[in-house]
Amino acid sequence: MNLNNILTSGHSFTEGEYALKSKFILLNSLIFLSITVVFILTIVLVYHGKIFFAMANIFYILSGLYSIKLLRKNKTNQKYIIVVISLLSLLLVVIAISKYPSEEVRFVWFPAIIISSFFLGGKKLGYIVAFLSVLSIIMLEYLIDTGLNNYTTFLAIIIILFSTTIIALYERREFILKEELLSMNQYLEDKVKKEIQKRLAMYEKTHNQLQESAVKLEEQKNAFKNLAHYDTLTGLPNRLLFYDRLEKVIENAEKNDQKFSILFLDLDNFKEINDSFGHDVGDDLLKIVAEKFQNRISKSDLLARLGGDEFTLVVGGWRNTEHIASIADRLIHALSEPIYILGYEIYITVSVGISIYPDDGMDIATLLKHSDSAMYSAKNEGRNLYHFYKQIMTDQALERVTLETRMRKALENNEFIIYYQPIVNGVTSELIGLEALVRWQHPEKGLLTPDKFIHIAERTSIIIPLGEYVMNKVAGQVKDWHEKGFNPSYISINLSVNQLRHKKLLSNINNMLEKTNFRDDWLEFEITESYAMKNPEESIEVLNQIKALGVKLSIDDFGTGYSSLSHLKKLPVDKLKIDKAFISGLPYDLDDKILVATIVSLAENMNLKVVAEGVENEEQKKYLENIGCIYMQGYLFEKPVDYTIINKKYCKV
Ligand code: C2E
Ligand code: CA
Ligand code: CA
């Protein structure tokens, strides 16, 4: 659509068209009027027997009627008709005067015809008719005696010329006025056109701007849509879009009677990495992990990030469980290489849970719940694994939830008790310390070891009150032993990562020392190697604060993590505890032998004490003695036992 079209559309009459129309009406009426007049005259003439003149009049009437007919047929005929009628009228007047020369009044017809000619035929015809009129008067006067005296003739001619001049002047004025009007019209038209053009340009400009902002709006809309459906960090579909697509996948599978599987992927220890290296590194890590996953799946599979470090993958095109297992393997393998971010070398692993439609569930909620349970089971079994869902996992999950609530109750009911396991000098069998190990005296299930509940306590916040509980109990026990005159040398307490990160840790330790009259020589904490090594800056600071309280520190499960010597040197620790996994292979497993010997010489070089955990037989004990590791802990000497047993065996009271 264009405004120009509006401007040029519709019909406006031109000057000529208007003139033609008005002339046509005037001509018609004049001819009609003259015919009527001549007709009346003809009747009078016939009545008086003046036949010749009556004949002339009839001829005039007939030609008048014929002219009207021609005019009706085609308006443009008026061009000729005006001339012919004017001349015929003139002729009729000349005939009339020549016939009745004494009737001077007939001269009046001359000006009438001249005026009509001017108006109807224009200037040219007007002048011609005026000229012919004057000529006719002179001729009539000369050829026949009209009876006019010279003065009257002269006056008639003067009147004719005068009226001609007046009309010419009037015409001229009309013409000028018309010109002015025209130019004024033109000026106005130009102005209007310009204004319209200006508005048109303005309109087009705003139109363009509008279009631009419409495009921007569309872009923004899309961005919002993206925001609502895609995870901004990884660019993967988010939970919303995932649910949406999964619903369609389920519909499709139901219609076509097909199977498909859902993989639930959860990064192991991501929280620790996030806390240790900072959120920026955590974010980068998620991005890289998402990319690695994406590169190892087929385009038709749906990978999404549900939030945090949880990803889901829907694998369509069902083949068999081996196929799904190979995909899970591939995803686990995708993270086998370390990831480098901001100069850090980061190792991350993933645990995968798999559920299959329709075997493990028919709807989103069930399928996701079951793949989550399978993932949880994989995590429990040691992480970096995949598990297919089994019914028993749901039972276990239920058990977990009930266990969690039960544990809170158990804390209130004092159901947790502390067992102590002696640490001895293997050569002399002399007691050098005790490790405090928590147990849960469950009213129905009996005595539970930490592997049944400590991981749940660590996953929830229960580990904090449970840790405080252990410290209190141990401090009470130590106070009691001191009062009885029994000095177990030292007691070591295990601290988990979450306890080490808890802000109340130092004040809790202080309370414990206060309870034992500020003796600090009896207390030792065991921290895991992974905590000490994964984030050295943080751990060095925390460990130094603990050390400042006069408490000793040992690194537990040493050998399982990835200690770097340079970090180890900086840690304010007193002791290494060799993980029992390496002791069990002694003295036959060559790798274990080398590793244990290396740790022992390393500890010696660094001036650290070393304890071998899990010593179960004489052969192990011998080997350890031979390489100079004399401090030992294990079933060979004593299992973790109740304080009453310790009392009996060591306290002798
Ligand atoms: P851990 O710190 O490595 O504790 C040593 C574990 O090895 C104990 O298991 C102990 O019973 C077991 N053990 C000792 N000697 C032998 C042996 O000769 N052979 C074998 N096979 N095992 C032996 P337990 O008591 O079941 O504790 C398991 C883990 O639970 C502990 O591992 C520790 O990490 C954690 N834990 C125990 N008590 C606490 C606690 O109060 N707080 C925290 N945060 N963790 C605790
Ligand atoms: Ca320990
Ligand atoms: Ca240990």
Side-chain angles (χ1 to χ4, degrees):
M1 197 218 55
N2 199 314
L3 264 193
N4 279 325
N5 292 346
I6 297 173
L7 291 174
T8 50
S9 76
H11 185 77
S12 61
F13 289 102
T14 62
E15 282 293 310
E17 279 172 327
Y18 266 123
L20 200 68
K21 206 169 170 193
S22 45
K23 253 188 219 168
F24 176 77
I25 295 163
L26 192 65
L27 189 61
N28 261 310
S29 23
L30 269 178
I31 293 173
F32 184 74
L33 192 75
S34 59
I35 286 174
T36 316
V37 171
V38 173
F39 181 72
I40 295 165
L41 191 70
T42 309
I43 292 169
V44 174
L45 286 172
V46 171
Y47 184 73
H48 287 287
K50 293 168 182 168
I51 301 303
F52 170 72
F53 191 41
M55 290 296 275
N57 279 332
I58 287 167
F59 173 73
Y60 182 83
I61 290 167
L62 287 177
S63 31
L65 288 173
Y66 186 65
S67 302
I68 289 178
K69 192 187 163 197
L70 282 179
L71 275 175
R72 290 271 146 109
K73 211 160 129 194
N74 188 345
K75 280 177 195 153
T76 48
N77 283 338
Q78 61 171 296
K79 222 160 51 187
Y80 319 104
I81 290 167
I82 290 167
V83 177
V84 173
I85 290 287
S86 301
L87 294 179
L88 274 179
S89 305
L90 206 66
L91 192 67
L92 195 67
V93 172
V94 171
I95 292 170
I97 294 173
S98 61
K99 211 68 193 141
Y100 308 100
S102 54
E103 291 176 33
E104 288 148 26
V105 72
R106 292 179 198 277
F107 280 93
V108 179
W109 284 108
F110 284 115
I113 297 169
I114 290 166
I115 291 167
S116 310
S117 308
F118 261 110
F119 280 117
L120 292 173
K123 245 192 290 193
K124 222 191 230 164
L125 185 70
Y127 285 133
I128 290 170
V129 172
F131 172 73
L132 288 176
S133 302
V134 172
L135 197 71
S136 305
I137 292 168
I138 296 170
M139 286 251 295
L140 284 170
E141 184 61 33
Y142 185 71
L143 290 176
I144 48 165
D145 184 13
T146 50
L148 293 180
N149 56 34
N150 284 349
Y151 172 74
T152 321
T153 308
F154 184 68
L155 193 69
I157 290 169
I158 290 296
I159 288 170
I160 286 168
L161 289 179
F162 186 68
S163 58
T164 305
T165 315
I166 297 273
I167 293 163
L169 280 174
Y170 176 77
E171 267 269 67
R172 176 85 200 137
R173 216 197 87 194
E174 277 282 276
F175 178 75
I176 290 167
L177 274 178
K178 218 155 79 184
E179 284 284 283
E180 271 177 10
L181 211 69
L182 262 178
S183 76
M184 201 140 110
N185 262 350
Q186 190 61 43
Y187 168 76
L188 280 174
E189 207 168 283
D190 283 351
K191 212 170 151 181
V192 168
K193 258 191 194 153
K194 251 189 219 154
E195 183 65 27
I196 285 171
Q197 224 103 45
K198 210 169 92 188
R199 297 214 172 165
L200 201 70
M202 244 162 70
Y203 163 79
E204 241 146 48
K205 205 172 134 196
T206 38
H207 179 73
N208 285 343
Q209 281 171 346
L210 264 172
Q211 229 156 19
E212 265 170 41
S213 48
V215 169
K216 268 190 206 146
L217 216 69
E218 189 63 30
E219 281 172 1
Q220 271 173 357
K221 219 169 80 184
N222 284 339
F224 275 122
K225 222 160 127 187
N226 265 354
L227 216 62
H229 286 128
Y230 290 92
D231 169 42
T232 42
L233 185 69
T234 60
L236 291 176
N238 63 12
R239 186 182 288 269
L240 205 73
L241 187 59
F242 175 74
Y243 276 46
D244 210 48
R245 297 236 175 116
L246 185 55
E247 210 165 318
K248 290 193 182 100
V249 172
I250 292 176
E251 264 171 38
N252 223 33
E254 196 182 350
K255 220 176 5 188
N256 302 320
D257 210 9
Q258 279 172 336
K259 279 184 160 193
F260 70 86
S261 57
I262 296 181
L263 277 66
F264 199 104
L265 304 129
D266 190 292
L267 300 182
D268 303 322
N269 300 327
F270 177 74
K271 198 180 169 311
E272 276 172 43
I273 291 175
N274 216 18
D275 291 346
S276 315
F277 297 105
H279 289 268
D280 287 346
V281 172
D283 282 356
D284 279 356
L285 185 68
L286 286 173
K287 255 191 262 178
I288 293 169
V289 166
E291 224 175 270
K292 282 179 182 264
F293 287 163
Q294 189 85 69
N295 288 338
R296 279 166 183 82
I297 58 169
S298 97
K299 278 211 173 73
S300 55
D301 296 344
L302 170 64
L303 179 69
R305 180 177 170 225
L306 293 198
D309 58 344
E310 290 176 353
F311 296 86
T312 42
L313 176 70
V314 175
V315 182
W318 174 263
R319 276 190 243 162
N320 47 37
T321 44
E322 286 74 37
H323 173 233
I324 301 303
S326 76
I327 292 174
D329 246 343
R330 217 185 304 152
L331 294 175
I332 289 171
H333 196 72
L335 304 182
S336 57
E337 302 273 303
I339 293 169
Y340 297 93
I341 299 165
L342 296 174
Y344 296 110
E345 185 185 58
I346 300 169
Y347 286 86
I348 185 102
T349 54
V350 62
S351 298
V352 185
I354 305 163
S355 65
I356 296 163
Y357 173 94
D359 311 358
D360 302 331
M362 311 275 280
D363 57 275
I364 295 181
T366 316
L367 284 165
L368 276 182
K369 198 173 79 193
H370 288 170
S371 59
D372 183 53
S373 300
M375 183 278 294
Y376 202 92
S377 149
K379 264 206 202 302
N380 264 352
E381 200 167 287
R383 308 177 171 203
N384 208 18
L385 287 168
Y386 65 84
H387 272 186
F388 280 92
Y389 171 75
K390 290 189 189 74
Q391 175 56 39
I392 191 175
M393 293 171 182
T394 301
D395 306 340
Q396 283 168 350
L398 201 70
E399 201 182 292
R400 259 198 322 270
V401 177
T402 37
L403 211 65
E404 197 184 313
T405 34
R406 270 300 284 120
M407 232 189 293
R408 293 190 192 275
K409 269 234 179 80
L411 271 173
E412 289 170 21
N413 298 345
N414 278 324
E415 284 169 20
F416 291 101
I417 51 172
I418 313 295
Y419 269 34
Y420 296 91
Q421 185 177 32
I423 298 157
V424 298
N425 180 328
V427 184
T428 61
S429 290
E430 174 195 359
L431 179 78
I432 63 146
L434 294 169
E435 178 175 3
L437 294 159
V438 71
R439 297 288 181 268
W440 182 1
Q441 187 64 63
H442 197 284
E444 292 112 41
K445 293 181 179 153
L447 192 69
L448 299 179
T449 46
D451 55 300
K452 299 279 188 314
F453 59 88
I454 204 91
H455 59 278
I456 296 170
E458 269 178 40
R459 278 198 152 208
T460 58
S461 52
I462 295 179
I463 193 71
I464 303 299
L466 179 63
E468 282 177 37
Y469 180 90
V470 171
M471 286 189 203
N472 268 325
K473 279 271 166 162
V474 171
Q477 185 63 60
V478 169
K479 191 175 172 234
D480 193 42
W481 278 331
H482 284 169
E483 280 166 7
K484 284 182 174 145
F486 168 54
N487 187 1
S489 182
Y490 73 86
I491 312 236
S492 66
I493 295 176
N494 292 285
L495 282 183
S496 76
V497 177
N498 286 331
Q499 286 174 278
L500 282 155
R501 294 228 169 95
H502 199 252
K503 49 187 186 306
K504 268 174 71 188
L505 176 70
L506 289 176
S507 66
N508 285 342
I509 297 174
N510 252 328
N511 289 343
M512 223 183 349
L513 298 178
E514 196 178 347
K515 231 182 185 168
T516 53
N517 301 322
F518 298 100
R519 280 182 60 170
D520 53 23
D521 55 336
W522 66 270
L523 185 57
E524 184 171 305
F525 284 114
E526 298 188 9
I527 55 157
T528 58
E529 185 185 9
S530 53
Y531 169 78
M533 293 302 157
K534 263 189 188 158
N535 184 15
E537 280 84 24
E538 181 197 323
S539 53
I540 288 172
E541 198 187 322
V542 174
L543 299 181
N544 272 327
Q545 286 169 338
I546 298 174
K547 277 280 341 182
L549 298 171
V551 179
K552 283 195 238 7
L553 290 170
S554 63
I555 297 184
D556 205 359
D557 303 342
F558 194 78
T560 54
Y562 10 80
S563 290
S564 97
L565 270 183
S566 57
H567 284 154
L568 191 59
K569 262 206 278 196
K570 285 186 214 150
L571 288 174
V573 294
D574 308 276
K575 195 181 285 168
L576 303 180
K577 291 186 81 175
I578 307 173
D579 195 75
K580 55 181 175 290
F582 307 113
I583 306 300
S584 66
L586 297 181
Y588 307 108
D589 189 297
L590 190 66
D591 285 344
D592 286 351
K593 273 165 74 176
I594 294 172
L595 194 99
V596 172
T598 310
I599 294 173
V600 172
S601 69
L602 176 90
E604 204 175 315
N605 285 335
M606 294 180 82
N607 237 344
L608 298 173
K609 288 197 179 104
V610 62
V611 175
E613 280 186 332
V615 181
E616 293 181 346
N617 56 51
E618 287 293 337
E619 280 173 310
Q620 291 167 345
K621 182 184 151 196
K622 264 247 159 66
Y623 178 82
L624 289 164
E625 274 175 20
N626 284 342
I627 59 167
C629 175
I630 52 164
Y631 299 132
M632 300 176 206
Q633 177 182 3
Y635 295 171
L636 178 64
F637 309 99
E638 193 72 76
K639 287 193 171 180
V641 288
D642 183 1
Y643 74 97
T644 52
I645 311 267
I646 299 291
N647 280 349
K648 258 190 220 145
K649 201 166 172 185
Y650 299 97
C651 187
K652 311 266 184 331
V653 282

